[in-house]
Amino acid sequence: MAGFQQKGDLSVADTLVAFLEEQALPGTGVDAAAFWSGFSDLVHETAPENRKLLGLRADIQANIDAWHVARRGSPHDHEAYCAFLREIGYLVEEGDAFEIDTANVDDEIARVPGPQLVVPITNARYALNAANARWGSLYDGFYGTDAMGSAPPKGGYDQGRGARVVARARVFLDEAFPVEKTSHADARRYYVHNGALLIDDQPLMKPEKFIGYTGHPKAPDSVVLRNNGLHVVLVFDRTHAIGSRDQAGLADVQMESAVSAIMDCEDSVACVDAEDKVVAYANWLGLMKGDLQDTFEKGGRQVTRALHPDRVFTGPDGAEVTLKGRALMLVRNVGHLMTNPAILDKDGSEVFEGVMDAMITTLIAMHDLQRDGGNSLTGSVYVVKPKMHGPEEVAFADRTFTRVEEILGLPQYTVKLGIMDEERRTSVNLKECIRAAKSRVAFINTGFLDRTGDEIHTSMEAGPFSRKDFIKRKAWIGAYENQNVDIGLECGLSGKAQIGKGMWAMPDLMAAMLEQKIEHPKSGANCAWVPSPTAATLHALHYHKVDVFAAQEKLKAGGRRAYVDTVLNIPLAEYQKWSDDQKTREVENNAQGILGYVVRWVDQGVGCSKVPDMNDVGLMEDRATCRISAQHIANWLHHGVVDAQQVMAVMRKMAAVVDGQNADDPLYRPMAPGFDGIAFQAACDLVFKGRVQPSGYTEPVLHARRLELKASA
C-alpha cells in the first residue's frame, strides 16, 4: 500500500514508522521487531471487545429511546425509570466497600492539592508553557489581569497599580504566613538566623513554614515558604524594578501554581491522521526526554522556550532543598470510540485510536522512567482516559494497559489511570468504575460540559431540555458533583489520588474566578482545571486558603450527600413558555459557539480556541463545549421547539458574526456569504445530524470533514 509499511499484520503509515523507529524506540530498550509484533497482537486482541462495548452502548441507547417514546405524553415515573435502567444493565449493583491500592504515586497526584492545566499536546509552545507553569508570578497575575477588579493598563507601567499589587500580595502573605507581632505589610527586612526566618526580627507564627533560601542568610536573594503543601518563593531585588521601590526589596512573590498538567491528545486537539498524530507524539516524546524546545517570535525578537530546571535552595539546617521546576505531566489518550487511518489492521480496517495511544504514549513515557529527576519520581506513567461508559469499559482500559505493560516489559500497574466522570453511565456506576481499576486509579474528576452533552443525548427522546443556563440549576448537577467527591473519598482516594473539578472557561475574567472557583477546594477536590498559567497562579491562592485534606475529612465524616436516583433526574423543561425571542437567543448562543469553534477546527486544525461568545466574552472551547451546544439544538429540533428552517437561518446569521470576529486572522476563511465551505457544512452536520451521532459525540463529523478538507488541499 502506497505510503504504508507492513509491520507484522499491521499496515502503518510511513511517517509514523519513521517516528517510532528513529525517535521513540531508541533509548527505551525495546526491540523494534518485538514492539511491532506485540503491537499487532494488541490491536487484534482488543478490537473485538472494543467493538462489542461500542455495540453495547448503542443497544442500551436504543432501549432507553424506546422506553421514552413508549411513554411520551405521560407523566415521568422516576421509580419505574430507575428500575428499567437496572433491568437493561445501565445501572449495576453497587458492591461492598473497598479502597484503591494504587502504589508508587507521585506527591503531586496524592498529597499536594493545587491547580491543574489541560493543554493541547500538538502545540509545543503551549505544552512547554503548561509544564513550566509549576511556578508563576503573583505580581504578574494581579497586575496583568482584572483580578484586582479593574482591567490591566495599556502602555507603560502604572505605579499606582503596582503599589496595589504589592499591597494585595502582602495581604496574602499575612493570611498564609503570619508573623509574630508584625505584618508583612510593614516588613523592611527578611533574613535567616540560626535556621529561622525573621521578618524585622520577628519569627513566623509557624516557623516550620520556612523551607529554605538562596544567597546570603543576612540578605537572601529568595526565601521559600510552604503552606498546605504548596510553596511560595519571595524574590528580593533591592536595585531593580519594583524591588527598588519596595521597603524590603521584595520584587516578586512566586507561587507554586500548576502542580500537574494534562498533555491532551483528545478534546483540545485536531488529530485525524498519521501526520497529526506524529506531531502529538513527538511533543510528548520531547517532554518525556526533557529536551522539547520551541522557537517563536515575540515582541519583535526570537524566543526559544525549553523546560525549566528544578530549583535548588539551602534549607534551614544548611542541607540542599530541591523543588520541582515543572508540573507533573499526565497524558490524555482518546476514548474507545474513534479509529485512525494511521494504522490499518490485517483486514484493512482502521485501528482503534485509543489502543494506538495506549501503546505509543506509554512507550514514549519509558524515556522518563529511565532518567533521574524527570517527570515521575516514583516510576509511574499517568494516563487520563476520557469518555468511558460504565465499569465494563474501565475494566477494558485496565486490561489494555496490562497488556501494553507486558509487551513493553514494564511492571504491572506502572501506568496509572485517570477516570473522567463525564458520561452518565459512569456517573451512576462510579464506585464500580473505580473498583474495575482499583490498582491503577490515580484521578477522577467531573466535567459539566461533556456530562451535560451525554445527559441530553441519553434522554433525547424524553422531551425538550431546559435552556442551558437552567440545566445547571437542576438537582442532577449538584448531586453529580457531590457524589463524585463522596464516592472518591469512600474508595480511599484521599492521600492516594486526585479528585478533580472542571474548567474555568473564561480566561479573561480572573476576578470572577477568584470569587467563584474557591468552591472547588472547599468541595473536597484536590485539583481543578484552569485555562492558563496565569489562572493557575491565581487559583493557587484558593489552596492556601483551604486545607483540602481537612475538608475531605469533614466530608467523609458526614457520609454520602447524593445518590443515583437524584443524579438520574432528567433536566427537562418543566414549563415551555418561552418567547420567540428567548428561543432565538438560545439557538443563536449555541450556534455561535459551534461555528466559532468548528471553523478553526476544520479549516486550520486548531482543536482548542478562545471563542468570543454573543457578548464578546472569550470562552475556551473544545469538543466538549461543541458537544453540549450541538446536542441542545438537536434536542429542540427533535421536539419541535424550533424548526430546521429557523435553525438554518440562525446558522447563517451566526456564521457572518463569526466571520466578523475573525476578520483580523489572515488564515481565516469566511463562511458567508456562500455558506458552502466544508467548515460550515461540518457545523450544520453537528446540529442537524446530532441526534444520530454516537453518544452525541462531535468527533465522527469533525474528523470526516477535516480529512475531506485535507484531501482537497
Side-chain angles (χ1 to χ4, degrees), residues 113-413:
Q116 187 170 67
L117 278 168
V118 185
V119 64
I121 189 62
T122 48
N123 189 310
R125 178 179 174 181
Y126 292 174
L128 288 164
N129 286 349
N132 290 336
R134 181 66 174 255
W135 296 95
S137 166
L138 185 60
Y139 281 11
D140 289 349
F142 281 149
Y143 188 89
T145 73
D146 72 342
M148 297 192 301
S150 60
K154 297 179 181 179
Y157 177 71
D158 183 330
Q159 188 168 347
R161 188 178 181 88
R164 290 175 58 210
V165 166
V166 172
R168 180 77 174 264
R170 298 290 180 113
V171 170
F172 158 68
L173 293 176
D174 278 339
E175 291 173 347
F177 309 101
V179 186
E180 296 281 1
K181 299 179 182 178
T182 190
S183 163
H184 288 279
D186 301 322
R188 295 182 176 276
R189 185 186 178 205
Y190 292 76
Y191 66 99
V192 180
H193 180 69
N194 291 335
L197 175 67
L198 298 178
I199 297 95
D200 292 344
D201 303 328
Q202 297 297 318
L204 296 171
M205 287 186 181
K206 293 185 177 180
E208 67 274 12
K209 290 190 175 185
F210 170 56
I211 302 302
Y213 67 96
T214 61
H216 196 283
K218 292 184 179 181
D221 297 325
S222 67
V223 166
V224 188
L225 307 171
R226 182 171 61 207
N227 178 56
N228 291 344
L230 286 176
H231 297 89
V232 174
V233 178
L234 309 184
V235 179
F236 299 94
D237 183 343
R238 298 160 185 86
T239 59
H240 295 95
I242 199 170
S244 65
R245 293 188 289 273
D246 182 88
Q247 57 192 8
L250 184 58
D252 201 2
V253 176
Q254 295 179 353
M255 308 286 289
E256 191 170 21
S257 302
V259 177
S260 57
I262 298 175
M263 301 297 164
D264 188 20
C265 297
E266 194 233 5
D267 259 5
S268 67
V269 302
C271 291
V272 300
D273 56 19
E275 176 187 26
D276 296 335
K277 295 298 288 187
V278 166
V279 172
Y281 294 148
N283 286 342
W284 179 237
L285 177 63
L287 293 169
M288 292 296 94
K289 293 175 74 172
D291 61 5
L292 182 64
Q293 293 189 358
D294 189 49
T295 299
F296 53 91
E297 187 173 300
K298 185 177 183 181
R301 60 190 180 91
Q302 290 288 105
V303 176
T304 297
R305 192 150 293 164
L307 289 168
H308 288 170
D310 290 339
R311 308 183 71 167
V312 180
F313 302 87
T314 301
D317 60 357
E320 189 175 275
V321 174
T322 300
L323 301 181
K324 288 281 286 289
R326 302 156 308 283
L328 181 79
M329 289 172 272
L330 306 86
V331 61
R332 182 159 66 169
N333 289 182
V334 305
H336 294 323
L337 174 65
M338 295 301 294
T339 61
N340 194 286
I343 305 177
L344 307 178
D345 67 14
K346 63 183 179 182
D347 298 320
S349 300
E350 296 179 5
V351 306
F352 283 104
E353 192 174 353
V355 174
M356 185 166 74
D357 275 358
M359 186 70 173
I360 296 176
T361 60
T362 304
L363 168 76
I364 289 169
M366 292 177 68
H367 290 274
D368 178 69
L369 300 179
Q370 296 177 8
R371 65 191 183 103
D372 295 329
N375 187 50
S376 173
L377 302 183
T378 61
S380 292
V381 178
Y382 298 95
V383 175
V384 177
K385 190 71 178 178
K387 295 180 173 60
M388 293 190 289
H389 295 243
E392 307 99 324
E393 295 195 12
V394 177
F396 173 65
D398 178 68
R399 291 192 298 274
T400 297
F401 281 106
T402 292
R403 192 71 181 93
V404 168
E405 290 159 343
E406 291 173 354
I407 294 166
L408 298 178
L410 294 171
Q412 189 177 16
Y413 305 129

Side-chain angles (χ1 to χ4, degrees), residues 468-489:
K468 283 200 303 188
D469 283 347
F470 288 83
I471 290 175
K472 297 178 183 179
R473 306 178 194 181
K474 300 286 187 175
W476 77 276
I477 186 66
Y480 157 64
E481 294 284 359
N482 289 339
Q483 181 192 252
N484 177 274
V485 174
D486 294 344
I487 290 178
L489 296 176

